[in-house]
C-alpha cells in the first residue's frame, strides 16, 4: 500500500478507536447519571466509530483488492463494528442506550487487540480464495457480535437480580402480593404482583423499590434501570438475532467446507466449537420457553453462551490447530 | 399390561420434559467440547505422549479419541431425537396449537377493561371490525350462552417449532444416509504416478502438481504466503472414460458423484544408503514425510520427518522460505523404538550415520494429497438445514398472540369490554404491544363515548 492509502487507513482506525473509547465513557456516565444529554452525545459517537470502522474495512478492500476478512485483524474489526451496529439498531428500536458503555468498551478492546494482529496487506491463502468467504465470515461474525450485545444485557440483568437479592436479604419488606418473590422465579412473582395490583407501575424488584421509596440512593438508581422482565425480553430478542445467524453461519460454512475440504462436516475444532455454542443457545431458547426458568437462569446461560463464543472465536485459534488455522 | 402402559407413559412424559431435553442438549454440548479439546483420531502413542498416563488410558478406553463416532455420542443424539419427538407430539402440538377456550380474563397478567357506549351485540361487532382491520384473524365462539371473540395474530407461526424440529430430524436422516451408503477417504499420488479410489475404481493419473508461494512483506517481516495449489491429472471414471482434470483448493472434481478435492501436498524423497561404499536397498518408493525404513540386518531405522525448502547457508539451520532453493530434509534415527538422534541434511550431501553407513537424500518429487467423498445424503442434509433455519426464523421473528375479548353489559349504560392477551413466549414480550392495542381500542371507541379505561400496568424505566 502506498503511504497516502496507509494514512487513510490509519486515520480511520484511530477515529474508530477514539470514538469507541469516548463513546464508552460517555455512555457509562449516562448509565450512572441517566442524563439524556449524555445519551445524545454517546450514540452519535458510537455511530461515528461504527462508520469509521466500516469505512476502514471498505477502504482496505478497495485499496488492496484483497477481501479484508482473511485474518484476525479484519475479523475482529468487523466483530466490533457489527456489535456496535447491532447495539445501535436495538438502541433506536428499544431504547437500549444503557448498555452502550459495556458494548463500546468491548468493541474498543476488540479493535485494540485486533491492531496487534494487523500485518498490513496479505494475500489470501488458497483455502480462503473463495466467494464463500464474503458470505460465511460476515454472517458468523455478526452472530458473535449479537451474542456480545446480548451478553452485556445479561450481565446487567444479573447485576440487578443480584442487587434485588441483596436488598431482600437485608430485610427490606416486600410489599403486597410480591411477598412471595423469593420463590421459584422473579417472573412468577412479578405476574402475581401485577395481577393483584393493576393500575400501578409494577416492578419485579420489590425489595429495590421499597428501599428506593425509603430514600436509599443506590436503590433509587437501581430502580431506574429497566425492569428484569424488560432486560430479559431484550436479551431474548438479541439472541433471537444471533442464533439464526449462527445457524446460517454454520450452514454456509458447511457449504464452503464441502467445496474446500471435501466434506460439509469434518469435525474440525472450529466448526465443532461453533456447534457447541449453537447447542448452548438452542438450550437457552428452550429454557426461555418455560416461565419458571426464564430470568436469572437463562441470563446465566446467555453469559455461558458468550464464553463458548469467545472460545470458538479466539480460543480455538490460539490453543487448538485445525483446518481453520488455514495451514495446508 | 397396565403397569407396562403406565411405564411407557411415564417414559414419554420424561422425554417430553424440557429440562430433560435441555440436559440432553447439555450432554451433547459437553461431549462436543471434549472432542474440541482432545485431538481426535490420533494413535495411542500420541495420547501417551501428550497426557499423563491415567488420562491417556482414559481417553483411549472411553473412545474420547474418536468421540464423534462413539456409541455415547451417537446415543445422545438418538436420545435427543426421541426426546424431541416425544415433546413435539405431547407438548408442542397441544400447547402451540390450542383450541379456542374461554379464560379468566383478570387472571391473565396482560388484561384491561374498557367501558364503551352501546349494547354488547353492537360493541362486539365494532370490536371484531377493529381487530379485523388491523390484520387480526377474528373468530367468535359461544360457551354456555356467553359469546367470546378471539383475535389471533401470526397464528400460522405457531408451527415454527414444528418446522425447526422437523428440520433437525431431516438433517439426522441425511447423515444416516451417508453413514449407510456413503464413503470417504484420502490418498496421495506422486507426480507421474497413478492412484485408484478403492470404493469405486476411479483412477487418478497425476501429471503434475504445482504450488505458488509468494514472499509478502508485512509489519513483522517477510512471510511466505501460499497462493495456489493445483494438480493436473487425468481422472478415469468407472466406465473407463478418461477426463482431463484441474483440481484446485475450493475447486473439487466430480467423478461420477464422488468429489475429489485438493487437500495437501508434500515432497517425497529418494533416499540412498551405502555401507562402506556398497549400496544397501532401502524403501522401494520415494518416502513421504513421516515414512521411514529399517536398515537391513540392524535394529536401526530412519524416518523422514520433514522437508526443508531452504537451508540457511550461514547458520546451517532451516530458513524461512519453504520453497526449494537449497533444500534439505530432517531425518530421525531410531535404535529399536528409541530415538537416537536427528539431523538436517542437505539434498545430495551424504550424512554419516556411523559404522560405515552413509545416507543420501538424492532428489525430491512433489506429491499431491487428495480427499474424496461420496455422500448421497448431502442434499437431504442441506434441505434439513434450510428447513431448520426457516423454523428458527418463524419461531423467533413471528410472535403468535391471541386476544380474548368478552363484552358484557355494564352496570350503568353501555358495555364493558374485557380483554386479555397471551403469546407463545410469555407476557413480557407482548406488553408494549398490548398497551398500544388497548390504547388504540380506547381511542377508536372514544367516539362511542368512553366511560373508563383501566390502564395496563407499565414496566417502565427511567432509562
Ligand atoms: C432435546 C430435545 C428437545 C425437546 C424435548 C424439545 C422440546 C421443545 C418444546 C416442548 C418446545 C415448545 C415450547 C413451548 O411452546 O413452550 C420447543 C421449542 C423449540 N424447539 Fe425444541 N426440543 C428439543 C430439541 C430441539 C432441537 C435440537 C432444536 C433445533 C432444531 C429445537 C428447536 C426448537 C425451536 C426453534 C423452538 C421454538 C423456541 C421459541 O419459540 O422460542 N428443539 N422445543
Amino acid at each position: 500500500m502506498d503511504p497516502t492509502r496507509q494514512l487513510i487507513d490509519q486515520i480511520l482506525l484511530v477515529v474508530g478507536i477514539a470514538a469507541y473509547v469516548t463513546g464508552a465513557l460517555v455512555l457509562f456516565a449516562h448509565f450512572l447519571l441517566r442524563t439524556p444529554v449524555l445519551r445524545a452525545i454517546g450514540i452519535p459517537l458510537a455511530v461515528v466509530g461504527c462508520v469509521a470502522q466500516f469505512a476502514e474495512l471498505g477502504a482496505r478492500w478497495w485499496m488492496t483488492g484483497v477481501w479484508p476478512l482473511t485474518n484476525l485483524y479484519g475479523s475482529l474489526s468487523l466483530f466490533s463494528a457489527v456489535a456496535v451496529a447491532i447495539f445501535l439498531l436495538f438502541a433506536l428500536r428499544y431504547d437500549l442506550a444503557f448498555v452502550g458503555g459495556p458494548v463500546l468498551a468491548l468493541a474498543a478492546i476488540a479493535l485494540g487487540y485486533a491492531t496487534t494482529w494487523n500485518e498490513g496487506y496479505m494475500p489470501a491463502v488458497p483455502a480462503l480464495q473463495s466467494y464463500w468467504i464474503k458470505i460465511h465470515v460476515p454472517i458468523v461474525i455478526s452472530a458473535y457480535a449479537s451474542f456480545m450485545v446480548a451478553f452485556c444485557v445479561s450481565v446487567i440483568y444479573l447485576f440487578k437480580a443480584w442487587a434485588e437479592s441483596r436488598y431482600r436479604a437485608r430485610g427490606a419488606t416486600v410489599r403486597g402480593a410480591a411477598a412471595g418473590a423469593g420463590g421459584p422465579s422473579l417472573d412468577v412473582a412479578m405476574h402475581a404482583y401485577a395481577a393483584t395490583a393493576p393500575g400501578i407501575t409494577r416492578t419485579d424488584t420489590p425489595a429495590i423499590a421499597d428501599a428506593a421509596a425509603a430514600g436509599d440512593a443506590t436503590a433509587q438508581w437501581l430502580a431506574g434501570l429497566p425492569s428484569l422482565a424488560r432486560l430479559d425480553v431484550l436479551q431474548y430478542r438479541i439472541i433471537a438475532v444471533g442464533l439464526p445467524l449462527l445457524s446460517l453461519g454454520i450452514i454456509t460454512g458447511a457449504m464452503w467446507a464441502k467445496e474446500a475440504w471435501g466434506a460439509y462436516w469434518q469435525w474440525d475444532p472450529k466448526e465443532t466449537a461453533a456447534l457447541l455454542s449453537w447447542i448452548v443457545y438452542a438450550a437457552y431458547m428452550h429454557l426461555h420457553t418455560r416461565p419458571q426458568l426464564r430470568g436469572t437462569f437463562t441470563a446465566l446461560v446467555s453469559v455461558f453462551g458468550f464464553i463458548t463464543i469467545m472460545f470458538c472465536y479466539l480460543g480455538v485459534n490460539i490453543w487448538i490447530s485445525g483446518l481453520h488455522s488455514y495451514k495446508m | 399390561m397396565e403397569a407396562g402402559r403406565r411405564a411407557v407413559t411415564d417414559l414419554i412424559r420424561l422425554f417430553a420434559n424440557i429440562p430433560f431435553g435441555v440436559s440432553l442438549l447439555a450432554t451433547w454440548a459437553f461431549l462436543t467440547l471434549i472432542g474440541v479439546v482432545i485431538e481426535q483420531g490420533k494413535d495411542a502413542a500420541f495420547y501417551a505422549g501428550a497426557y499423563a498416563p491415567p488420562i491417556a488410558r482414559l481417553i483411549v478406553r472411553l473412545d474420547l479419541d474418536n468421540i464423534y463416532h462413539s456409541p455415547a455420542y451417537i446415543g445422545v443424539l438418538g436420545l435427543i431425537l426421541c426426546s424431541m419427538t416425544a415433546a413435539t407430539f405431547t407438548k408442542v402440538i397441544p400447547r402451540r396449537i390450542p383450541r379456542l377456550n374461554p379464560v379468566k380474563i383478570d387472571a391473565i397478567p396482560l388484561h384491561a377493561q374498557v367501558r364503551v357506549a352501546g349494547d354488547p351485540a353492537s360493541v362486539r361487532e365494532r370490536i371484531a371490525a377493529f381487530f379485523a382491520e388491523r390484520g387480526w384473524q377474528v373468530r367468535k365462539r359461544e360457551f354456555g350462552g356467553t359469546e367470546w371473540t378471539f383475535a389471533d395474530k401470526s397464528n400460522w407461526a405457531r408451527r415454527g417449532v414444528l418446522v425447526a424440529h422437523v428440520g433437525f430430524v431431516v438433517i439426522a436422516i441425511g447423515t444416516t444416509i451417508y453413514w449407510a451408503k456413503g464413503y470417504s477417504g484420502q490418498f496421495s499420488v506422486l507426480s507421474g504416478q497413478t492412484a485408484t479410489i478403492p470404493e469405486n475404481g476411479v483412477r487418478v493419473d497425476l501429471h503434475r502438481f504445482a504450488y505458488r508461494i509468494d514472499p509478502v512483506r508485512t509489519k513483522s517481516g517477510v512471510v511466505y504466503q501460499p497462493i495456489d495449489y493445483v494438480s493436473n491429472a487425468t481422472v478415469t471414471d468407472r466406465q473407463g472414460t478418461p477426463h482431463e482434470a484441474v483440481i484446485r483448493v475450493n475447486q473439487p472434481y466430480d467423478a461420477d458423484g464422488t468429489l475429489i478435492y485438493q487437500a495437501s501436498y508434500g515432497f517425497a524423497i529418494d533416499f540412498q544408503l551405502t555401507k562402506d561404499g556398497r549400496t544397501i536397498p532401502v524403501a522401494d518408493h520415494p518416502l513421504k514425510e513421516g515414512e521411514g525404513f529399517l536398515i537391513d540386518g540392524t535394529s536401526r531405522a530412519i524416518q523422514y520427518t520433514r522437508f526443508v525448502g531452504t537451508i540457511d547457508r550461514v547458520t546451517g539451520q532451516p530458513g524461512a522460505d519453504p520453497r526449494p532453493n537449497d533444500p534439505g530434509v530432517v531425518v530421525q534415527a531410531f535404535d529399536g523404538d528409541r530415538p537416537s538422534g536427528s539431523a538436517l541434511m542437505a539434498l545430495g550431501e551424504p550424512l554419516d550415520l556411523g559404522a560405515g553407513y552413509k545416507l543420501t537424500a538424492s532428489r525430491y518429487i512433489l506429491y499431491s494429497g487428495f480427499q474424496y467423498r461420496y455422500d448421497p445424503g448431502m442434499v437431504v442434509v442441506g434441505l434439513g438445514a434450510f428447513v431448520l433455519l426457516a423454523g428458527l426464523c418463524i419461531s423467533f421473528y413471528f410472535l403468535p398472540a391471541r386476544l380474548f375479548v368478552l363484552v358484557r353489559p355494564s352496570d350503568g349504560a353501555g358495555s364493558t369490554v374485557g380483554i386479555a392477551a397471551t403469546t407463545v413466549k410469555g407476557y413480557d414480550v407482548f406488553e408494549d404491544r398490548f398497551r398500544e392495542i388497548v390504547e388504540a381500542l380506547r381511542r377508536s371507541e372514544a367516539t362511542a363515548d368512553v366511560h373508563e379505561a383501566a390502564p395496563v400496568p407499565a414496566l417502565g424505566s427511567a432509562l
Side-chain angles (χ1 to χ4, degrees):
Chain A
M1 254 200 287
D2 69 48
T4 321
R5 292 176 173 197
Q6 242 166 28
L7 188 68
I8 295 175
D9 190 66
Q10 289 294 317
I11 289 172
L12 288 169
L13 184 63
V14 170
V15 169
I17 294 191
Y20 288 161
V21 172
T22 42
L25 291 173
V26 169
L27 287 172
F28 263 124
H30 166 63
F31 179 67
L32 294 172
L33 306 173
R34 315 275 157 70
T35 320
V37 71
L38 289 173
R39 180 177 49 195
I41 299 169
I43 295 284
L45 278 171
V47 174
V48 169
C50 188
V51 169
Q53 263 208 288
F54 276 115
E56 197 248 350
L57 287 168
R60 246 172 200 247
W61 188 19
W62 171 64
M63 292 187 296
T64 63
V66 177
W67 180 246
L69 305 181
T70 52
N71 55 26
L72 197 55
Y73 170 71
S75 142
L76 275 166
S77 299
L78 184 70
F79 170 70
S80 45
V82 177
V84 174
I86 288 174
F87 155 70
L88 285 169
L89 288 177
F90 272 85
L92 294 176
R93 175 79 178 77
Y94 297 110
D95 195 10
L96 198 72
F98 62 95
V99 287
V103 170
L104 291 197
L106 287 176
I109 291 169
L111 190 52
Y113 180 55
T115 56
T116 66
W117 290 85
N118 186 2
E119 287 290 344
Y121 162 80
M122 290 270 270
V125 297
L128 299 184
Q129 295 165 19
S130 162
Y131 59 94
W132 280 112
I133 197 171
K134 295 182 182 146
I135 302 169
H136 169 67
V137 177
I139 292 173
V140 172
I141 299 291
S142 306
Y144 294 170
S146 321
F147 294 132
M148 190 263 255
V149 181
F151 162 79
C152 294
V153 177
S154 309
V155 169
I156 294 176
Y157 182 103
L158 291 171
F159 171 63
K160 190 168 183 189
W162 169 80
E164 168 68 8
S165 67
R166 293 288 303 216
Y167 273 99
R168 205 183 307 135
R170 265 203 229 164
T173 45
V174 179
R175 279 184 294 168
S185 145
L186 285 165
D187 186 74
V188 172
M190 180 188 74
H191 288 142
Y193 190 56
T196 52
I200 64 159
T201 300
R202 83 189 196 196
T203 172
D204 46 12
T205 45
I208 290 175
D210 281 349
D216 181 317
T218 313
Q220 280 167 356
W221 180 81
L222 284 164
L225 283 176
S227 68
L228 292 178
R230 188 164 186 84
L231 289 168
D232 173 73
V233 168
L234 284 171
Q235 170 197 271
Y236 165 80
R237 289 209 155 123
I238 302 168
I239 292 177
V241 172
L243 185 54
L245 280 174
L246 183 62
S247 312
L248 190 60
I250 293 175
I251 293 169
T252 51
M255 291 163 86
W256 184 5
K258 186 192 134 267
E259 246 175 64
W261 304 328
Y264 58 83
W265 195 260
Q266 293 267 65
W267 297 107
D268 165 64
K270 189 83 166 181
E271 61 188 9
T272 318
L275 173 68
L276 169 75
S277 299
W278 185 87
I279 300 169
V280 173
Y281 283 106
Y284 169 93
M285 282 298 177
H286 282 86
L287 293 169
H288 199 267
T289 61
R290 301 270 68 79
Q292 62 275 27
L293 300 173
R294 206 178 290 150
T296 304
F297 188 49
T298 41
L300 284 169
V301 175
S302 158
V303 169
F304 178 66
F306 186 61
I307 293 171
T308 68
I309 288 286
M310 282 295 100
F311 172 68
C312 169
Y313 187 16
L314 303 175
V316 172
N317 285 31
I318 292 165
W319 294 312
I320 297 162
S321 82
L323 294 166
H324 270 84
S325 61
Y326 309 126
K327 294 185 200 118
M328 274 283 292
Chain B
M1 189 68 187
E2 182 57 32
R5 201 172 301 139
R6 221 182 12 250
V8 172
T9 316
D10 284 351
L11 195 68
I12 292 177
R13 195 172 303 142
L14 170 73
F15 268 64
N17 194 358
I18 287 234
F20 179 77
V22 169
S23 47
L24 287 175
L25 290 177
T27 315
W28 182 22
F30 179 66
L31 295 179
T32 304
L33 179 63
I34 290 179
V36 175
V37 174
I38 297 175
E39 266 203 73
Q40 297 290 293
K42 303 281 177 191
D43 53 24
F46 170 84
Y47 300 104
Y51 297 93
I55 298 178
R57 269 198 303 278
L58 208 69
I59 289 175
V60 177
R61 292 229 179 105
L62 296 182
D63 275 342
L64 304 184
D65 55 335
N66 185 24
I67 198 160
Y68 305 122
H69 299 98
S70 67
Y73 202 84
I74 295 165
V76 165
L77 284 174
L79 287 176
I80 287 174
L81 285 169
C82 295
S83 167
M84 204 175 77
T85 310
T88 302
F89 285 104
T90 64
K91 291 238 168 92
V92 175
I93 293 175
R95 192 187 289 154
R96 288 270 169 150
I97 307 170
R99 297 222 304 269
L100 297 173
N101 276 328
V103 293
K104 277 204 180 93
I105 285 189
D106 292 350
I108 292 182
L110 293 182
H111 70 265
Q113 281 198 1
V114 184
R115 289 220 284 146
V116 298
D119 65 280
S122 71
V123 171
R124 236 174 255 131
E125 288 313 311
R126 291 207 304 270
I127 296 245
F130 171 87
F131 284 117
E133 255 168 43
R134 284 162 180 76
W136 292 77
Q137 181 195 358
V138 180
R139 284 175 287 180
K140 291 183 185 159
R141 294 283 184 283
E142 216 182 275
F143 299 98
T146 309
E147 192 172 323
W148 282 77
T149 305
F150 300 90
D152 277 295
K153 196 73 165 221
S154 304
N155 207 21
W156 63 274
R158 289 176 182 273
R159 288 147 192 91
V161 187
L162 292 179
V163 177
H165 283 182
V166 166
F168 194 72
V169 173
V170 175
I171 292 176
I173 293 172
T175 317
T176 314
I177 294 175
Y178 167 68
W179 280 345
K181 296 200 160 153
Y183 52 79
S184 63
Q186 50 197 15
F187 62 94
S188 51
V189 206
L190 294 179
S191 305
Q193 296 199 356
T194 299
T196 304
I197 296 178
E199 286 91 344
N200 61 7
V202 168
R203 215 180 67 211
V204 178
D205 297 81
L206 180 66
H207 306 310
R208 184 168 173 266
F209 171 78
Y211 61 86
R212 195 181 128 203
I213 295 176
D214 282 355
V216 178
R217 185 162 296 283
T218 69
K219 288 181 181 163
S220 47
V222 173
V223 296
Y224 292 87
Q225 186 85 337
I227 304 294
D228 199 8
Y229 304 117
V230 52
S231 295
N232 286 286
T234 303
V235 178
T236 308
D237 64 23
R238 249 175 297 199
Q239 289 74 39
T241 318
H243 306 272
E244 288 313 305
V246 178
I247 309 173
R248 281 195 152 90
V249 178
N250 281 318
Q251 292 172 27
Y253 183 79
D254 186 340
D256 291 341
T258 301
L259 294 167
I260 303 172
Y261 305 86
Q262 180 67 56
S264 60
Y265 76 99
F267 299 82
I269 302 288
D270 256 337
F271 282 101
Q272 263 127 36
L273 186 67
T274 57
K275 180 163 168 42
D276 303 328
R278 229 170 1 95
T279 302
I280 296 186
V282 288
D284 56 357
H285 61 274
L287 298 186
K288 294 173 191 145
E289 280 107 323
E291 292 183 337
F293 58 87
L294 284 166
I295 302 179
D296 262 357
T298 71
S299 59
R300 295 169 74 188
I302 301 291
Q303 186 191 35
Y304 160 37
T305 327
R306 187 159 71 87
F307 182 79
V308 173
T310 308
I311 300 176
D312 191 320
R313 286 285 159 199
V314 181
T315 62
Q317 295 300 310
D321 192 345
R323 297 169 299 179
N325 301 311
D326 281 317
V329 295
V330 179
V331 289
Q332 170 86 52
F334 288 87
D335 201 349
D337 283 345
R338 243 177 350 98
S340 57
S342 74
L344 168 63
M345 54 192 287
L347 238 61
E349 288 177 20
L351 176 73
D352 194 346
L353 298 177
Y357 286 101
K358 280 202 163 66
L359 179 70
T360 314
S362 56
R363 60 168 189 144
Y364 71 82
I365 307 160
L366 271 170
Y367 68 86
S368 182
F370 296 103
Q371 284 186 8
Y372 61 91
R373 188 170 171 106
Y374 170 68
D375 186 350
M378 189 142 58
V379 177
V380 180
V381 171
L383 180 76
F386 281 97
V387 172
L388 169 58
L389 193 63
L392 293 185
C393 292
I394 297 170
S395 301
F396 299 158
Y397 302 141
F398 297 89
L399 180 65
R402 175 165 292 174
L403 299 177
F404 303 81
V405 184
L406 184 60
V407 183
R408 291 173 187 278
S410 248
D411 294 344
S415 306
T416 304
V417 180
I419 175 166
T422 60
T423 79
V424 295
K425 292 187 204 302
Y427 303 107
D428 309 320
V429 75
F430 198 62
E431 194 165 71
D432 295 346
R433 212 37 213 108
F434 185 66
R435 196 176 309 128
E436 283 165 23
I437 291 165
V438 173
E439 275 304 303
L441 181 66
R442 193 176 61 78
R443 273 197 310 274
S444 90
E445 287 297 319
T447 51
D449 182 20
V450 176
H451 297 282
E452 181 200 324
V456 185
L459 263 180
S461 85
L463 282 164

